[in-house]
C-alpha cells in the first residue's frame, strides 16, 4: 500500500516537472518572438535549451526502454539500466581497441539468436538477478592464429550468435593443440572452465594434482546421485535416467522396461511415490538400490526376462562396481564454476563408463546452473576434446546443454574427428565452427555445408593437409576465414 502511494507521488512529481518545462518553453518561445533585444535573445536561448533537454531526456528514455526490453531477464530497474547505459556510453571512449583483424567483429550476418527452450521438466525458472555489471564483464578475445596476410584472427564469443565452438579434424592434425591454445587464452581472460579429459591429454604425466590447464578433480572424491529429486519428479526421473542409460548402452526394449521398473521400485522402497509429491523430499535411493532391485527382479523372473537382466548387468556392472553413483551427490559446484578444473576420465577403464560419468556429471551441473541467476555474458566454459565419445541427441545431457547453455552464461567447446556424430542440434547452436583437414569425404561434405557456400568439401579434404591449417566460420561474419592456427606448444 505504502509502496503504491510512493509510486503515485513519483508519477505526480514527474507530471508537474514535465508541465513546468513545457510551460517555461512555451513562454520563452512566445517572448522570443515578440520581445526584441537582450530579453528576447535570452528567451530564445531558454526555449532552445529547454527543447534540447527534452529531446535528450526522450532519447535517453527510449534507449533505456530498448535496453530493458533486450535485458528483460536481468530484472534491473530503469535507474540501474539508465546508469548502465551512461557507463557503457562513457566506456566506449576508454575501451581498449578491438583486435586488429576484427574479422569476427563484423556485423551479424545470420538471424537473431534462437530462443532457448527451457526444459519444462525443470522447476520453476527463478527471477534472474545479480549478473556481472557491464564494466566488470570479462573480455574474451581468443587469438586463434593468423590468416595469409599475417593478420591475427580472433574468436570473440560475445560477438557471436552463440558462445559454443566446435573444432573438427582428422586424427593427429592438431585439434588438441588448438583446444589447449584456446584454454591458455581462457586462462589469460580468467574464464573458469571444466574439461572432460577422456585420454589424459590435459594431465601432466608425473601424476601431479594440477596440470597446466587447471586442478584435477579426483573422481574418487566425488559422487553423483542420478536419482536425486531436487528438480524433477520420480516419474520423469525414471524415464530420463533410463533414456540416458539407453543412449550410452543401447538397451533392448525389454531391458529398458526392466530398468524403469527397478528405478520405480527403488523409489517406492524409500517411501517415495510417483503420485504423492510430499514424499519427494525423502532421501532418494542411489544406484546401489537400483542394483539390488535388478537382482530381486532377476530372482522372480522367467527365463527370457532373466536373460535380459543378465544383459543389463553385463553392461552396467562397471557402473555398480565403480560406486560413483552409489552415494549422496557430492560435487564442489562453487569451485567448478570459479576455477579451471580437469576431470580425468582417463582413470576409468571402460569407454562407456567414461561417457555415462560425463553424462550424469553434466546433467547435475545443468540442474545446478538452473538454480543460479541467468547471465548475458559467457562466464564459464565446458570443454570436451574427443567429443565423439558422447551422444548428442536432444535427450542427452550435452544435447540439453547445447540448447540452454547461453542462458546460463555457459559456452561449450567441442573437438572431434567424427563430425557426423553431431546432430543438427549442435550445428544449429554454434557461434563458431573450425575445420582442420578431414580426409573422409563424408565428413568433409558435412562440414562444408556448415562453413558456408564458398567452401567446397574438396578444399577441406585436400587443401588443409599441413598441420594447423584451418578454416573457421563465425556467425558474425558472412564468409569463412582461412588461417594457420598458433598451436599451444608455440605459445609462450
Ligand atoms: N609439444 C609439441 N611439440 C611439437 N609438436 C607437437 C607438440 N605437441 C603436438 N605436436 C604436434 O601437433 C600435432 C597435432 O597434435 P594434436 O594432439 O593436437 O592432434 P589431434 O588432432 O588432437 O590428434 P588426435 O585425433 O589423435 O587426438 C602432432 O601430430 C604433433 O606433431
Ligand atoms: Mg587430440
Amino acid at each position: 500500500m505504502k509502496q503504491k502511494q510512493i509510486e503515485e507521488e513519483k508519477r505526480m512529481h514527474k507530471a508537474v516537472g514535465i508541465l513546468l518545462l513545457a510551460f517555461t518553453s512555451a513562454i520563452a518561445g512566445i517572448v522570443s518572438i515578440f520581445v526584441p533585444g537582450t530579453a528576447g535573445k535570452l528567451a530564445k536561448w531558454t526555449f532552445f535549451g529547454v527543447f534540447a533537454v527534452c529531446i535528450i531526456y526522450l532519447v535517453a528514455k527510449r534507449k533505456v526502454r530498448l535496453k530493458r526490453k533486450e535485458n528483460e531477464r536481468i530484472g534491473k530497474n530503469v535507474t540501474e539500466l539508465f546508469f548502465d547505459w551512461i557507463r557503457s556510453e562513457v566506456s566506449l571512449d576508454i575501451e581498449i581497441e578491438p583486435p586488429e583483424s576484427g574479422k569476427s567483429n563484423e556485423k551479424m550476418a545470420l538471424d537473431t539468436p534462437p530462443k532457448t527452450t527451457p526444459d519444462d521438466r525443470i522447476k520453476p525458472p527463478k527471477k534472474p538477478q545479480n549478473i556481472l555489471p557491464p564494466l566488470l564483464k570479462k573480455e574474451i578475445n581468443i587469438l586463434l592464429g593468423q590468416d595469409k596476410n599475417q593478420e591475427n584472427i580472433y574468436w570473440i564469443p560475445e560477438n557471436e550468435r552463440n558462445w559454443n565452438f566446435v573444432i573438427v579434424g582428422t586424427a593427429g592434425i592438431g585439434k588438441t593443440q588448438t583446444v589447449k591454445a584456446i584454454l591458455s587464452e581462457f586462462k589469460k581472460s580468467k574464464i573458469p572452465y571444466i574439461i572432460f579429459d577422456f585420454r589424459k591429454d590435459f594431465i601432466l604425466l608425473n601424476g601431479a594434482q594440477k596440470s597446466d590447464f587447471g586442478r584435477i578433480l579426483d573422481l574418487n572424491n566425488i559422487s553423483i546421485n542420478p536419482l536425486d529429486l531436487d528438480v524433477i519428479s520420480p516419474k520423469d526421473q525414471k524415464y530420463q535416467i533410463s533414456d540416458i542409460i539407453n543412449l550410452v548402452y543401447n538397451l533392448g526394449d525389454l531391458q529398458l522396461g526392466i530398468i524403469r521398473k527397478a528405478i520405480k521400485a527403488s523409489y517406492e522402497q524409500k517411501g517415495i511415490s510417483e503420485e504423492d509429491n510430499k514424499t519427494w523430499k525423502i532421501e532418494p535411493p542411489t544406484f546401489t538400490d537400483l542394483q539390488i532391485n535388478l537382482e530381486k527382479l532377476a530372482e522372480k523372473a522367467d527365463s527370457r526376462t532373466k536373460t535380459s537382466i543378465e544383459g543389463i548387468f553385463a553392461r552396467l556392472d562397471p557402473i555398480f562396481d565403480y560406486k560413483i553413483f552409489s552415494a549422496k551427490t557430492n560435487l564442489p559446484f562453487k569451485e567448478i564454476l570459479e576455477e579451471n578444473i580437469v576431470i580425468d576420465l582417463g582413470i576409468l577403464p571402460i569407454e562407456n563408463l567414461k561417457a555415462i560419468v560425463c553424462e550424469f556429471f553434466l546433467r547435475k551441473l545443468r540442474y545446478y546452473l538452473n538454480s543460479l541467476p541467468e547471465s548475458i555474458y559467457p562466464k564459464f566454459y565446458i570443454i570436451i576434446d574427443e567429443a565423439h565419445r558422447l551422444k548428442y541427441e536432444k535427450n542427452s545431457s550435452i544435447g540439453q546443454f547445447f540448447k540452454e547453455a547461453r542462458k546460463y552464461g555457459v559456452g561449450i567447446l567441442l573437438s572431434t574427428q567424427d563430425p557426423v556424430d553431431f546432430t543438427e542440434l549442435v550445428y544449429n547452436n554454434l557461434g563458431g565452427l573450425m575445420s582442420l583437414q578431414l580426409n573422409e569425404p563424408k565428413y568433409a561434405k558435412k562440414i562444408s555445408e556448415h562453413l558456408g557456400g564458398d567452401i567446397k568439401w574438396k578444399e577441406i579434404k585436400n587443401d588443409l593437409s599441413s598441420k594447423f591449417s584451418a578454416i573457421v566460420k563465425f556467425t558474425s561474419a558472412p564468409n569463412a576465414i582461412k588461417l594457420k592456427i598458433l598451436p599451444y606448444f608455440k605459445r609462450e
Side-chain angles (χ1 to χ4, degrees):
M1 195 65 195
K2 205 168 176 190
Q3 184 63 27
K4 222 174 170 182
Q5 257 178 11
I6 293 169
E7 291 288 320
E8 286 284 310
E9 274 175 23
K10 264 191 194 164
R11 226 171 284 146
M12 275 281 290
H13 289 154
K14 215 172 171 180
V16 170
I18 288 168
L19 273 175
L20 267 175
L21 275 179
F23 185 70
T24 319
S25 168
I27 296 288
I30 292 164
V31 172
S32 71
I33 292 166
F34 295 108
V35 179
T38 319
K41 269 186 191 159
L42 201 67
K44 196 160 86 185
W45 285 116
T46 312
F47 173 76
F48 283 129
V50 172
F51 190 72
V53 166
C54 289
I55 295 290
I56 289 170
Y57 173 76
L58 288 175
V59 170
K61 204 171 160 189
R62 187 175 151 69
K63 283 228 174 194
V64 166
R65 201 175 292 153
L66 285 178
K67 184 123 181 131
R68 180 170 205 172
K69 245 188 194 167
E70 183 193 319
N71 297 295
E72 232 154 32
R73 296 174 303 145
I74 306 167
K76 286 192 174 184
N77 63 36
V78 177
T79 320
E80 282 170 307
L81 284 169
F82 179 77
F83 283 111
D84 280 356
W85 174 66
I86 298 281
R87 278 191 293 169
S88 66
E89 292 291 304
V90 172
S91 71
L92 277 182
D93 298 330
I94 54 166
E95 245 171 31
I96 303 155
E97 272 194 9
E100 254 175 54
S101 83
K103 297 225 159 134
S104 62
N105 295 345
E106 286 172 38
K107 270 253 163 288
M108 289 258 181
L110 301 179
D111 32 350
T112 45
K115 276 204 176 113
T116 46
T117 44
D119 182 349
D120 50 13
R121 289 169 298 193
I122 299 175
K123 284 179 192 170
K126 303 119 315 292
K127 194 172 180 296
Q129 13 137 326
N130 185 27
I131 56 139
L132 284 174
L135 290 181
L136 295 181
K137 150 185 114 185
K138 292 169 185 167
E139 296 291 338
I140 318 178
N141 299 328
I142 308 290
L143 175 65
L144 296 172
Q146 292 190 329
D147 68 7
K148 63 175 187 308
N149 303 320
Q150 261 73 57
E151 273 203 73
N152 285 345
I153 303 296
Y154 290 86
W155 164 39
I156 305 171
E158 217 199 311
N159 284 359
E160 306 305 328
R161 188 178 66 170
N162 225 301
W163 303 326
N164 305 329
F165 193 87
V166 160
I167 301 165
V168 298
T170 211
I173 199 74
K175 297 178 300 297
T176 301
Q177 276 295 319
T178 309
V179 170
K180 287 181 174 178
I182 293 175
L183 295 188
S184 68
E185 298 280 331
F186 280 154
K187 280 184 93 171
K188 275 190 211 158
S189 303
K190 300 206 169 6
I191 292 293
Y193 57 72
I194 185 167
I195 318 168
F196 291 90
D197 184 0
F198 283 88
R199 283 201 329 197
K200 289 185 177 283
D201 279 323
F202 298 84
I203 308 278
L204 295 179
L205 295 176
N206 63 10
Q209 277 309 291
K210 198 168 181 315
S211 84
D212 279 356
F213 300 96
R215 192 164 64 79
I216 298 162
L217 192 67
D218 188 345
L219 284 181
N220 295 307
N221 292 340
I222 62 162
S223 49
I224 302 166
N225 184 2
L227 297 172
D228 277 344
L229 292 174
D230 35 6
V231 290
I232 200 165
S233 75
K235 192 189 246 167
D236 285 347
Q237 194 67 295
K238 176 180 74 186
Y239 287 111
Q240 288 192 20
I241 297 292
S242 54
D243 276 0
I244 290 176
I245 295 175
N246 191 23
L247 265 182
V248 176
Y249 291 96
N250 281 325
L251 303 172
D253 285 349
L254 183 56
Q255 290 174 324
L256 194 59
I258 292 167
I259 288 202
R260 287 177 183 157
K261 215 168 171 179
I263 293 176
K264 187 173 183 195
S266 304
Y267 280 124
E268 281 170 354
Q269 267 169 8
K270 294 277 172 183
I272 298 169
S273 147
E274 287 183 358
E275 281 72 40
D276 182 4
N277 62 6
K278 282 191 223 79
T279 64
W280 301 354
K281 291 261 177 288
I282 297 172
E283 181 83 27
T286 68
F287 268 33
T288 303
D289 302 285
L290 177 63
Q291 180 184 5
I292 293 167
N293 278 302
L294 282 169
E295 281 161 1
K296 275 189 191 158
L297 285 174
E299 279 165 20
K300 291 183 255 161
D302 55 41
S303 66
R304 183 167 161 256
T305 314
K306 213 173 215 153
T307 314
S308 256
I309 297 178
E310 277 163 11
I312 296 176
F313 274 113
R315 290 171 168 89
L316 302 196
D317 260 343
I319 296 187
F320 298 136
D321 275 353
Y322 193 71
K323 302 271 178 233
I324 190 168
F325 305 129
S326 298
K328 233 173 150 167
T329 297
N330 171 26
L331 279 179
F333 289 116
K334 195 167 173 299
E335 292 164 31
I336 289 170
L337 296 182
E338 286 175 2
E339 295 179 26
N340 301 133
I341 299 280
V342 183
I343 307 288
D344 180 9
L345 295 168
I347 66 164
L348 302 175
I350 297 170
E351 290 310 309
N352 283 343
L353 184 56
K354 294 179 190 179
I356 200 114
V357 167
C358 199
E359 268 289 338
F360 284 136
F361 198 118
L362 282 171
R363 188 167 180 267
K364 207 71 205 168
L365 187 59
R366 187 172 135 255
Y367 287 152
Y368 180 74
L369 287 164
N370 197 57
S371 72
L372 299 181
E374 293 177 7
S375 169
I376 57 168
Y377 307 119
K379 56 179 187 186
F380 174 71
Y381 261 85
I382 295 171
I383 292 102
I384 304 173
D385 193 9
E386 300 286 304
H388 51 275
R389 292 160 191 258
L390 293 184
K391 296 276 176 27
Y392 294 83
E393 274 75 8
K394 66 178 185 318
N395 53 348
S396 69
S397 303
I398 189 78
Q400 293 279 358
F401 243 127
F402 250 88
K403 285 191 290 170
E404 297 171 9
R406 196 184 160 106
K407 83 171 176 185
Y408 303 137
V410 173
I412 300 169
L413 170 62
L414 302 181
S415 137
T416 183
Q417 25 176 294
D418 185 354
V420 174
D421 266 6
F422 290 152
T423 56
E424 284 309 301
L425 189 148
V426 172
Y427 292 110
N428 290 340
N429 288 283
L430 285 187
L433 172 62
M434 177 190 277
S435 180
L436 294 110
Q437 186 186 33
L438 288 164
N439 287 331
E440 179 66 53
K442 182 174 72 171
Y443 295 172
K445 282 177 189 166
K446 171 96 187 168
I447 289 304
S448 78
E449 280 168 31
H450 293 282
L451 285 177
D454 54 330
I455 302 295
K456 305 281 173 290
W457 71 268
K458 285 200 172 159
E459 282 181 71
I460 300 171
K461 183 177 176 300
N462 302 327
D463 300 353
L464 301 176
S465 54
S466 83
K467 277 174 198 163
F468 307 114
S469 288
I471 300 173
V472 67
K473 171 77 178 73
F474 297 108
T475 50
S476 64
N479 298 318
I481 304 163
K482 292 187 184 163
L483 75 157
K484 196 84 181 171
I485 294 157
L486 182 60
Y488 177 68
F489 68 82
K490 286 197 178 156
R491 299 191 181 212
E492 73 254 5

